[in-house]
Each structure stands twice: as C-alpha cells, then as structure tokens.
Amino acid sequence: MKIIVVDDYEQMSDKSAELLGNAVKSDPNATLGLATGSTPLGTYARLVEACACGEISFAAVRTCNLDEYVGLNADNVNSYAHYMRENLFDKIDINIDNTHLPNGAAQDLDAECARYTELLESIPQDIQLLGLGSDGHIGFNEPYSPFDGHTHVVTLAESTVKDNSRLFSHIDEVPRKAITMGIADIMRARKILILASGANKAQAVYDMIKGEINEACPASVLQRHPDVTVVLDKSAAALL
Ligand code: F6R
C-alpha cells in the first residue's frame, strides 16, 4: 500500500483529483469506479473545474458506482444516482449512457445484482475510488461481508445508518438496505484509491492498514491488492 498523509480535507481532495485526473489523461477510455458520500465531494469539485478549463475530458470515460440505496429511484434527491448527477455527471462532458449505478428501485433485486455483476465483469474498473466507513466498510460491505462476494443486497449497520442520517431530514428516512458491489468486484479493479478524512475514521484506517486481514474489517482486504494508494488527512492518520 502506498500511504500519503496530507494536512487536511482540501489537500486530500487535491491529491485524489490529481490521481484520478492522471488516470483519465493517460487513458481517455478509462473505466472509473466511483463512490458517493462526503469524502469524494472535494475530489469531484476539482474534476469539474479541470473539465471546465479543458484540462481533462470525460467524453470517452465509463463509470460504475459502488452502491445505491434500495427503494430509491434515480430521481429521489437522496439516491446516489441523483448525487452523482448533481456533483459530477451533469457538470462534465461525460456521456450519461456510459455511467452506471445499481438500480435500487428494481423490482427483482436478485436479477439486478446479477446484471450489475455481469456489467462489472464486462467493463473492469481501471481505478476504483473508495471512501472508508467508520466501521471499516468499503462500498456497503459491512463487517463480516465475505471477501469473495459479488454485487448483493445488504442490510446497513446501525452505525452506518446513523453516519448517513446527516444527509436526510430524519434518521427514519434512511433506507436500511442497499445494493453494493461485492468485495471481489472491488478487488478486481486494476488500481484502488481510498480516501479518509477526520478523526472518526482513525480507528478504521488503523485496522485497514495495520490490522489483521479479516472480515471484521472489510477494508483490511486491501492489504492483498497489488496497487492501492491511501490518501489520508492528519486526523484520519492519527493512530498509524
Ligand atoms: C459510498 C460508499 C461508502 C462511503 C463510506 C464513507 O458510495 O460506498 O463506503 O464511502 O460510507 O462515507 P463518507 O464519505 O460519507 O464518510
């Protein structure tokens, strides 16, 4: 693992946008695996700026997102499909048909999981961007998710529901289930870029990098990947 520690969230976002931007510059047809949540917002803002000033083009880029809440359709403001359009896709020159997320509103969720797994096999991620859950989750693979899992429906841990409730008007509105890429789908990416910022991530960062590799900390599996870059701010790196 290559570990980069910077001062704060802004510097973390600068570094992350630089690394993702370089992936697109070196391969304009790249497939990017993308994440939602608070952590990548600064990264996306910088990529939007780089595209606006003609430094990067996403015209031939394909993307696949990690996850989506079950029961929210793409127009729901709390859906990850909406988040991606609002924070990135509507502001860059990407072809929206080349952007993919699991469909959380699918009637047949098993069929949707199988469809997404097949899609990921057909367009493997050149680089997968990840945030880190305070309980060590990646995607929505909560503790004790199998390392060999593909896209599946998960019940979110109570701590994740609580962490994510800040984006909803009431905690009861947070969906309790999500569709997520499995750990095996994530590990297939050629490169992985994982970001963490803030003191509430420090224990999970420690367990990911220095802990035993086991399913109690899903992110610890990344120790087995040959090309992982971890970008941390000082608070997230405090226990290393
Ligand atoms: C988001 C995702 C999650 C988040 C994680 C951290 O698509 O898969 O694993 O990356 O929950 O969330 P934030 O960035 O909001 O702290």
Side-chain angles (χ1 to χ4, degrees), residues 14-239:
D14 288 341
K15 190 71 202 168
S16 151
E18 179 193 321
L19 295 171
L20 280 175
N22 287 345
V24 174
K25 284 179 200 159
S26 66
D27 177 5
N29 299 301
T31 298
L32 309 180
L34 297 178
T36 57
S38 305
T39 309
L41 285 172
T43 303
Y44 294 154
R46 284 155 177 78
L47 292 176
V48 167
E49 276 169 31
C51 186
C53 69
E55 202 188 302
I56 310 179
S57 170
F58 294 85
V61 163
R62 288 177 298 193
T63 66
C64 43
N65 264 76
L66 285 165
D67 38 26
E68 179 61 283
Y69 288 119
V70 165
L72 301 191
N73 68 39
D75 293 329
N76 187 301
V77 290
N78 288 313
S79 72
Y80 287 161
H82 185 273
Y83 167 108
M84 289 309 301
R85 288 198 309 275
E86 186 168 82
N87 293 300
L88 189 65
F89 299 154
D90 286 352
K91 298 178 172 166
I92 58 174
D93 60 348
I94 200 162
N95 175 353
I96 200 75
D97 294 339
N98 289 339
T99 68
H100 305 281
L101 288 97
N103 176 8
Q107 288 302 310
D108 183 342
L109 291 172
D110 288 341
E112 176 57 12
C113 291
R115 179 194 74 81
Y116 206 66
T117 296
E118 273 174 36
L119 174 86
L120 296 172
E121 277 162 10
S122 69
I123 51 162
Q125 309 93 296
D126 292 297
I127 182 164
Q128 174 68 54
L129 176 65
L130 296 174
L132 178 66
S134 58
D135 63 357
H137 70 225
I138 48 175
F140 275 138
N141 294 282
E142 298 285 20
Y144 303 103
S145 300
F147 283 172
D148 59 358
H150 293 285
T151 307
H152 60 289
V153 175
V154 288
T155 299
L156 301 177
E158 266 314 301
S159 59
T160 302
V161 171
K162 210 168 144 214
D163 285 350
N164 291 2
S165 65
R166 68 189 186 281
L167 305 168
F168 291 76
S169 41
H170 193 275
I171 192 165
D172 291 343
E173 287 174 16
V174 184
R176 267 36 185 188
K177 287 185 186 289
I179 300 185
T180 183
M181 270 189 209
I183 290 180
D185 301 318
I186 293 172
M187 289 293 277
R188 208 184 316 98
R190 289 195 187 93
K191 286 175 188 278
I192 291 185
L193 169 60
I194 181 160
L195 312 177
S197 150
N200 66 324
K201 302 290 173 75
Q203 185 63 50
V205 165
Y206 178 88
D207 294 342
M208 166 174 75
I209 294 173
K210 298 249 163 111
E212 255 179 58
I213 303 177
N214 68 42
E215 290 165 355
C217 176
S220 66
V221 74
L222 299 176
Q223 293 176 36
R224 291 191 182 145
H225 192 284
D227 191 345
V228 177
T229 302
V230 187
V231 186
L232 306 170
D233 71 6
K234 274 186 184 157
S235 319
L239 299 180

